[in-house]
Amino acid sequence: MSAQPVNPNLPPDHVTVFIDGVEMAAPKGSMIIHAADKAGIPIPRFCYHEKLPIAANCRMCLVDTEIGGRAAPKPSPACATPVMDGMKVFTRNEKALKAQRNVMEFLLINHPLDCPICDQGGECELQDLSLGYGRSVGRFVERKRVVPDEDLGPLVATEMTRCIQCTRCVRFTAEIAGTYELGGMQRGENLQIGTYDGQPLMTELSGNVIDVCPVGALTNKVYRFKARPWELIARPSLGYHDALGSNLFHHVRRGELLRSVPRDNEAVNECWLSDRDRYAHEGLLADDRAAVPLLRDGDGFREASWDEALDAAARILRESAGDDLGVLVHPATSNEEGALLARLADGLGSRHLDHRIGQLDLSDGAQAQAFAMPVAEIEQADAIVIVGSNLRHEVPLLHQRVRKAAKRGARVHVVNPVDFDFTFAVASKHIVPPAQLAAALDGVDLGDAGNVAVIVGGVAENGPHAAAIRKAAAAFAAAKNAKLCRIPQGANALGLARHGVLPAGLDAQAMLRQPRKAYVLYGIEPGLDFADQQAALKALGGARVVAFSQFACTSTRAVADVILPIGALPEIDATLTNLDGRDQQAVAAAKLPGQARPGWRVLRALGGALALPGFEFTDLDGLRAGMAPVAVQVAAGSAAPAAGNGLQVAASQAIYRVDAVVRRSHALQAHPLNAGPHASLNPADAAAAGLAQGAMAKFSTAAGTATLQVLLDARVAPGCVWLESGHGATAPLLAATTLEVARA
């Protein structure tokens, strides 16, 4: 072959390749399958996946190649054969088709005839390709092999007899999730894919093995046997359990939401989805869904019509307008609802409006801000500093981006009160009690890194030392020319801040410590969503409360006078703003339960009943047309309680207890990552208190006491206790700066 390029006008890093007679340019080092996909020329495949490392073990993508007029002696795998200048590729000639058909015949030797009962039926890659490349009659009469199934936990169902050993799931857990939980065992015809130790999948991204599996070996255990793909309608929506706002589809049949799957968006979640976003929809079917307006009747509630309930709510708000009214909003509330809540508070003369219900220290008037480095660019960073965050549980797919950066060679530095688990190597660790996090930043050495991201998470943002940590992180970022990325504390905290759901008066903590005569609660489960549960329940219990709620739960019934049932995000049209500042729209998917209504409709009706300005629109388009960012001057707010004697409190969100919907998903609650309420102590601190592994201990604060099981964990910094929020048992302790511990 001539040393001269076929096309001298191409860039030096490209070559000319001919695929089925079509001339095209392809980057040097890329594979034939990349060039063919770019040109829209189909090549069958099973093991190849654009996001996974190349394995070349299914051989379905065999093609015929010719270089310099000489044909290759045998077919080549398109996924693992680099393009060469002047190469000719034939994907549909007799040699290629014969090879592909032979591979398909071998794959089907042991595959069971399960299509009528297989959940993958109708969207199965093996079904699709066997139609085009399979024989109508099998030539093998030997008995098919049977592979025993493993229990991979409550999320992923297995039928491993169907497995074709493409190893996509193995490569996903190894390279993307970073947990290395699946692998191949034995050899030859005895090869099996499994966990070896028989343990459930522990990665927070385990549901993605369902998506990458090209057959029915790995399926959705919650969705199993419920529907066929052709019965479902796909509605574009968003994940609303963290601030990333993962793009997804809800699959619905006659108004019933049956499953959630990822929707590709390279700038946000790529093609992946966290288990929390995938399985949380199960919580929408909880027994305590609010499905009809309720009015307090003595010690209980009675059902009411919408007109009667709105009249009662309007009467409470009218009688408590002005300084006597506080409006508290869940940080996952949509922009449309947030804009109307801001209008409602303004129309009633209340300056006490806030969505920062989970944050203890608001003394610096902090509010959510967009990432200075877009999440898609974080994987290109040279160095990343993680401050006060159990990132893997807080925003799983942001953690995955950091893993990609670390695999590229980025140095990751951690400043935390607990040595949380990450799936990447850490260059330096500073594990110190919460009060020392701000000072510990000074010890981080970035070397000569030029592209640096500083990620500040929920352990820092929600803790009693948040203001000092935010100040130190901003100063560190400015001094190191780094990009500051503070994770918004709530799926739409940034959008609500932009649309004026912030106080010109008392902030969320001050509203509860200085009780108002009446409150509006929006989307909040009072018993678990507040940073200071004791102050919240005491203040709400002594006031008149109008609760807009998805759930008529015990804690809502304990404080509310009126319960107005509203839809959750999968049931309404809505806009959320993610941590990049990107506005994203969700479309209503599931049917609203009973008489529940979209929140914006209920707010419009209530605003109309109160004759307030700004509620004259008639539809969602009219509402959106009148929405615009609002600048609110937030003054310095509440500080956390002063530190006392004892152990410092380091609190993080339990991964599957972050909000009311997730807490009601049976599958997620059954997952081993949902460890239940407990307190983790450094072994030295436990020994000083006379506590052994598994012992019950009494933890005391000025706000209350709790009895919890003690777990000894050397990852916890000496001098502090690690608690997870979202549990009723730990709630009395989360607002404290320090606590005392003694044997129960």
Side-chain angles (χ1 to χ4, degrees):
M1 184 174 66
S2 171
Q4 295 298 318
V6 173
N7 185 350
N9 297 321
L10 286 181
D13 59 344
H14 280 62
V15 296
T16 299
V17 61
F18 302 87
I19 302 182
D20 291 341
V22 179
E23 180 179 346
M24 63 190 70
K28 285 183 179 178
S30 64
M31 303 299 159
I32 292 173
I33 204 166
H34 299 151
D37 285 351
K38 186 176 180 180
I41 298 173
I43 295 178
R45 81 286 303 271
F46 289 116
C47 70
Y48 174 78
H49 188 287
E50 64 178 357
K51 292 288 184 180
L52 300 176
I54 291 170
N57 55 2
C58 80
R59 318 308 276 189
M60 191 64 214
C61 65
L62 290 175
V63 294
D64 188 18
T65 59
E66 181 182 306
I67 302 173
R70 298 182 61 184
K74 57 184 180 179
S76 306
C79 68
T81 304
V83 294
M84 299 178 65
D85 197 41
M87 173 185 279
K88 294 181 179 179
V89 179
F90 305 95
T91 71
R92 305 286 296 171
N93 68 1
E94 183 180 356
K95 187 175 180 181
L97 287 174
K98 182 179 180 181
Q100 294 161 2
R101 287 169 179 156
N102 287 340
V103 169
M104 175 58 69
E105 186 174 16
F106 282 122
L107 285 175
L108 294 176
I109 291 174
N110 281 311
H111 196 78
L113 300 177
D114 275 355
C115 298
I117 61 166
C118 178
D119 265 332
Q120 197 82 347
E123 52 188 5
C124 174
E125 295 175 48
L126 184 62
Q127 268 187 334
D128 295 342
L129 292 179
S130 65
L131 182 65
Y133 298 90
R135 295 175 179 269
S136 59
V137 178
R139 294 187 291 176
F140 291 86
V141 296
E142 290 79 11
R143 294 183 64 180
K144 295 177 181 286
R145 77 169 189 164
V146 176
V147 179
D149 292 325
E150 282 192 53
D151 184 357
L152 297 184
L155 307 182
V156 179
T158 58
E159 290 284 351
M160 299 312 292
T161 300
R162 301 171 185 160
C163 177
I164 61 171
Q165 292 86 46
C166 71
T167 70
R168 283 188 185 178
C169 59
V170 175
R171 285 172 283 148
F172 174 82
T173 58
E175 301 298 329
I176 306 299
T179 52
Y180 299 90
E181 295 178 81
L182 293 172
M185 297 170 286
Q186 304 185 50
R187 302 182 67 183
E189 69 171 356
N190 296 318
L191 175 63
Q192 299 178 21
I193 303 298
T195 63
Y196 184 74
D197 58 4
Q199 297 300 308
L201 294 179
M202 294 297 287
T203 171
E204 63 285 356
L205 305 176
S206 66
N208 292 287
V209 301
I210 299 165
D211 300 326
V212 300
C213 182
V215 295
L218 301 173
T219 56
N220 185 325
K221 189 173 280 190
V222 174
Y223 167 76
R224 202 176 192 199
F225 302 142
K226 287 190 175 179
R228 287 300 195 182
W230 54 83
E231 300 177 277
L232 304 176
I233 296 174
R235 302 290 191 193
S237 192
L238 304 168
Y240 58 106
H241 310 294
D242 59 48
L244 182 63
S246 294
N247 289 207
L248 54 84
F249 286 110
H250 290 311
H251 286 175
V252 181
R253 181 182 62 188
R254 294 188 291 277
E256 182 183 5
L257 200 168
L258 295 178
R259 67 175 176 181
S260 301
V261 298
R263 176 162 54 100
D264 289 3
N265 188 330
E266 287 297 311
V268 181
N269 57 305
E270 300 179 84
C271 61
W272 312 122
L273 198 60
S274 70
D275 290 344
R276 191 164 58 195
D277 288 333
R278 186 184 297 268
Y279 294 99
H281 66 84
E282 196 182 18
L284 299 174
L285 303 176
D287 293 338
D288 61 353
R289 270 308 298 265
V292 64
L294 298 174
L295 294 180
R296 181 167 293 283
D297 185 7
D299 292 334
F301 282 84
R302 65 175 177 86
E303 295 184 0
S305 68
W306 269 107
D307 287 341
E308 185 182 9
L310 289 170
D311 286 344
R315 184 167 58 254
I316 291 172
L317 299 182
R318 195 179 293 115
E319 293 171 357
S320 308
D323 196 54
D324 291 333
L325 177 65
V327 181
L328 295 161
V329 182
H330 194 279
T333 301
S334 71
N335 289 334
E336 291 83 358
E337 295 163 292
L340 290 181
L341 286 162
R343 294 181 196 178
L344 181 71
D346 184 60
L348 291 170
S350 174
R351 300 179 304 126
H352 316 315
L353 164 71
D354 206 352
H355 69 276
R356 301 168 298 169
I357 61 173
Q359 296 179 255
L360 280 173
D361 184 3
L362 299 170
S363 58
D364 57 349
Q367 56 183 278
Q369 298 174 347
F371 273 24
M373 180 182 290
V375 69
E377 297 178 14
I378 285 177
E379 62 190 64
Q380 303 298 325
D382 300 323
I384 299 169
V385 183
I386 299 173
V387 183
S389 177
N390 185 2
L391 190 61
R392 186 173 166 189
H393 288 187
E394 187 174 357
V395 190
L397 289 174
L398 175 57
H399 169 270
Q400 191 265 334
R401 295 276 192 177
V402 176
R403 171 175 165 78
K404 290 175 75 174
K407 288 174 65 178
R408 279 186 55 258
R411 294 174 62 82
V412 182
H413 307 269
V414 175
V415 180
N416 262 332
V418 179
D419 188 7
F420 295 116
D421 289 333
F422 301 111
T423 62
F424 44 77
V426 174
S428 71
K429 297 177 182 178
H430 300 266
I431 309 302
V432 297
Q436 300 174 28
L437 289 177
L441 267 171
D442 292 336
V444 176
D445 181 10
L446 298 178
D448 58 355
N451 188 20
V452 181
V454 178
I455 300 175
V456 182
V459 177
E461 290 278 353
N462 297 331
H465 310 285
I469 297 170
R470 284 190 286 260
K471 182 179 179 181
F476 178 87
K480 305 293 186 180
N481 195 28
K483 304 294 178 60
L484 182 60
C485 303
R486 291 174 45 228
I487 300 174
Q489 296 306 297
N492 196 38
L494 182 54
L496 293 174
R498 288 182 174 180
H499 287 88
V501 188
L502 288 169
L506 299 179
D507 61 41
Q509 298 307 319
M511 272 187 250
L512 299 173
R513 294 171 187 164
Q514 303 170 40
R516 306 292 95 191
K517 291 182 180 178
Y519 292 92
V520 171
L521 295 185
Y522 201 91
I524 294 172
E525 185 170 9
L528 292 172
D529 286 338
F530 287 106
D532 190 338
Q533 303 294 350
Q534 186 182 46
L537 294 177
K538 182 178 179 181
L540 297 171
R544 305 177 74 187
V545 175
V546 176
F548 295 74
S549 185
Q550 292 93 4
F551 299 95
C553 60
T554 301
S555 62
T556 300
R557 289 173 178 266
V559 301
D561 294 280
V562 181
I563 299 177
L564 303 175
I566 59 173
L569 188 75
E571 301 161 341
I572 63 174
D573 295 313
T575 306
L576 302 183
T577 306
N578 82 339
L579 46 72
D580 280 340
R582 183 188 302 268
D583 287 341
Q584 304 186 112
Q585 285 194 3
V587 174
K591 182 180 179 182
L592 287 159
Q595 298 181 37
R597 298 290 183 267
W600 69 267
R601 286 188 179 274
V602 182
L603 286 166
R604 175 186 172 275
L606 183 58
L610 291 165
L612 300 179
F615 292 86
E616 297 83 8
F617 57 91
T618 57
D619 56 20
L620 190 59
D621 289 338
L623 166 58
R624 287 172 171 165
M627 290 171 53
V630 177
V632 177
Q633 190 64 38
V634 182
S638 302
N645 296 323
L647 299 174
Q648 295 184 38
V649 175
S652 65
Q653 285 187 325
I655 184 170
Y656 297 138
R657 305 284 299 177
V658 296
D659 58 47
V661 176
V662 171
R663 290 191 284 264
R664 286 164 173 78
S665 169
H666 297 301
L668 293 179
Q669 296 312 300
H671 196 278
L673 285 178
N674 193 49
H678 62 275
S680 297
L681 295 176
N682 186 280
D685 294 322
L691 297 170
Q693 174 78 358
M696 300 302 293
K698 185 176 182 180
F699 296 86
S700 304
T701 72
T705 62
T707 301
L708 298 170
Q709 185 180 38
V710 171
L711 300 182
L712 305 189
D713 195 337
R715 299 177 301 160
V716 180
C720 70
V721 55
W722 172 30
L723 303 170
E724 288 190 322
S725 64
H727 298 285
T730 60
L733 309 177
L734 300 176
T737 304
T738 56
L739 52 73
E740 300 282 351
V741 58
R743 283 188 291 180

